[in-house]
Amino acid sequence: MARDLMMSRRNVLASGLALGVSAFAPGVRASTPVMVAGIHASPVENAWNSVLHKALQDAAAEGVIEYVFSEGVSGTDYPRAMREYAEQGAKLIIGEAYAVEKQAREVAADYPETAFVLGSSGKESGDNFGVFGTWNHDGAYLAGMLAGKMTKSNVVGSVGAMPIPEVNMLINAFAAGVKAVNPDAKHLVTFIGTFFDPPKAREAGLAQIDAGADILFGERIGTADAAKERGLKSVGSLIDYTPRYPDTVFANALWGFRPILNAAIADVSAGKPVGKDYTAFGLLKEGGSDIAYVKGVAPADAEAAMEAKRAEIKSGAFEVPRITDEPK
C-alpha cells in the first residue's frame, strides 16, 4: 500500500467513524444538543486525551452536543470535578476512572440523573455509570508483526505508562505480533509510572536502545523522541505520529473515540441507561481502530502477511489475544 493509499486507509478509518455518526447523530440533532462535560486527568495534548477531546470537539462543531471540559485534573480533585459538572447540568460526563475507580462510582450513585461514561479497568455500575476500554490492541499486534521482521538487533522495546490492564494488553499485543513472526526476538518493557511525562518516556526509550533495542513501541508520548535521536524506528499508539516524526514513526496503532461517544450520546438522548460497557465500539472490526503504516519501510512479505492478518481480524477469523497480565 503506497503512501497515498495508506492515506486512504486513514480515510477508511475516518469513514468508519463517520458511519458511527450517521447511525446515531440524526436523531440527536433533531433535539436540543446534549450538554457533555469532559474531565481530562492529563493535558488534552496527551495522546489518549487528545483522541477523546477531538471526538467531543467534532461532535460540538456538528451541533450534536454542547461541550465543556477541564484538563490536568488530579486524582484528588477528580471526584469534585465530576460533582461540579453534574451540579451544572451536564447530561453526560466523559472522562477516566483509572485513578479513582471507587470514588467515581460513589459520585455517580449520588447523581442518578447524570450519565457517566468513563475509561476504566473496572465494570459498569448501576444504570448511569458506563465504561469503555482503549482497545487498539489489534493495531498494536499488526505493528508488532512489521517490527518483528524489521529488527536487526532482534531486540524491540515498549515504553508504557503503568502496568494497568489496558496498558498491559496493548504492550502484550505488540509483543505477540513480534513473536508471531520472529519467535526469537527479545522484548524490553519499561513503565514510567505516569500517564504524561514525555521527557521520562524519552529517557526510558534511550535506556532500551542502550540495552540493544532498535525499534520502540511508544505506548506513551515521548518514546519516539528517543528513537529519532538515535536514528531508529518507532511505532506510535492512539494517534498518527508519522507526520510529526516522518522518518521515525513507520506505523501507528490508531484508536478512535467517536463510535463510543456516538453510542453513549444516543443512549442519553433516548433516555436509555448507560450502565454498560461501550468498549467494543472501538475495535478494528467495528471501525473504531486500525493500523496506519508507511509502505516500503517493512519488507514486502511482512506487509503482505500483516495485511492478511488484518483481514482475518476484520472478518472475525482471528482475534488478537487480550492478555492483561503485566508484561515481563
Side-chain angles (χ1 to χ4, degrees):
M1 182 172 53
R3 175 80 188 196
D4 55 342
L5 293 182
M6 181 197 70
M7 291 304 293
S8 73
R9 164 65 49 75
R10 295 187 183 120
N11 291 338
V12 168
L13 178 61
S15 297
L17 304 187
L19 286 174
V21 174
S22 65
F24 298 105
V28 175
R29 289 196 185 100
S31 59
T32 303
V34 177
M35 180 178 175
V36 180
I39 308 177
H40 304 279
S42 298
V44 292
E45 67 259 34
N46 183 41
W48 188 88
N49 299 91
S50 74
V51 174
L52 271 66
H53 189 55
K54 184 180 187 306
L56 288 158
Q57 285 182 313
D58 289 347
E62 294 163 15
V64 176
I65 65 173
E66 294 180 6
Y67 176 45
V68 293
F69 72 95
S70 297
E71 61 181 317
V73 181
S74 68
T76 54
D77 272 349
Y78 211 92
R80 176 192 58 77
M82 292 173 66
R83 291 182 184 279
E84 287 186 357
Y85 279 124
E87 294 284 353
Q88 291 171 17
K91 296 299 182 183
L92 173 62
I93 293 177
I94 298 291
E96 51 205 284
Y98 299 109
V100 290
E101 295 283 358
K102 181 175 180 293
Q103 300 95 317
R105 286 164 173 75
E106 291 173 350
V107 173
D110 290 340
Y111 295 92
E113 301 303 314
T114 304
F116 298 84
V117 177
L118 307 183
S120 173
S121 296
K123 300 292 186 181
E124 63 272 18
S125 179
D127 288 338
N128 71 324
F129 189 91
V131 297
F132 63 88
T134 313
W135 282 14
N136 59 325
H137 59 295
D138 292 332
Y141 181 93
L142 296 173
M145 290 182 66
L146 298 180
K149 285 294 188 179
M150 290 171 57
T151 177
K152 294 180 174 61
S153 67
N154 234 26
V155 181
V156 300
S158 293
V159 177
M162 54 191 72
I164 62 174
E166 278 192 327
V167 173
N168 293 345
M169 183 171 67
L170 186 62
I171 291 176
N172 284 329
F174 173 75
V178 171
K179 293 287 186 180
V181 300
N182 187 350
D184 297 325
K186 183 179 180 182
H187 180 224
L188 307 177
V189 182
T190 305
F191 293 104
I192 63 173
T194 181
F195 287 111
F196 187 74
D197 193 334
K200 196 168 185 180
R202 170 187 163 275
E203 292 171 5
L206 289 173
Q208 291 183 346
I209 293 170
D210 288 340
D214 62 354
I215 298 177
L216 301 180
F217 174 53
E219 193 277 326
R220 286 296 103 184
I221 187 171
T223 309
D225 292 311
K228 179 180 179 181
E229 186 173 322
R230 297 293 180 85
L232 299 174
K233 298 299 183 184
S234 181
V235 173
S237 179
L238 298 176
I239 63 176
D240 188 350
Y241 284 98
T242 300
R244 190 183 307 181
Y245 301 93
D247 299 318
T248 302
V249 177
F250 69 95
N252 299 272
L254 304 179
W255 179 66
F257 182 66
R258 190 64 189 272
I260 293 173
L261 178 62
N262 288 339
I265 292 171
D267 284 339
V268 171
S269 298
K272 295 179 180 179
V274 299
K276 62 180 72 172
D277 189 338
Y278 290 88
T279 301
F281 289 97
L283 291 172
L284 188 155
K285 65 181 180 180
E286 300 295 337
S289 60
D290 209 335
I291 181 174
Y293 68 102
V294 182
K295 182 174 175 61
V297 178
D301 61 338
E303 292 179 1
M306 183 277 289
E307 284 287 2
K309 188 62 65 177
R310 178 179 178 273
E312 290 182 23
I313 295 172
K314 285 185 70 67
S315 71
F318 178 76
E319 186 172 314
V320 174
R322 299 172 187 168
I323 303 171
T324 58
D325 298 335
E326 181 175 347
K328 302 296 184 184

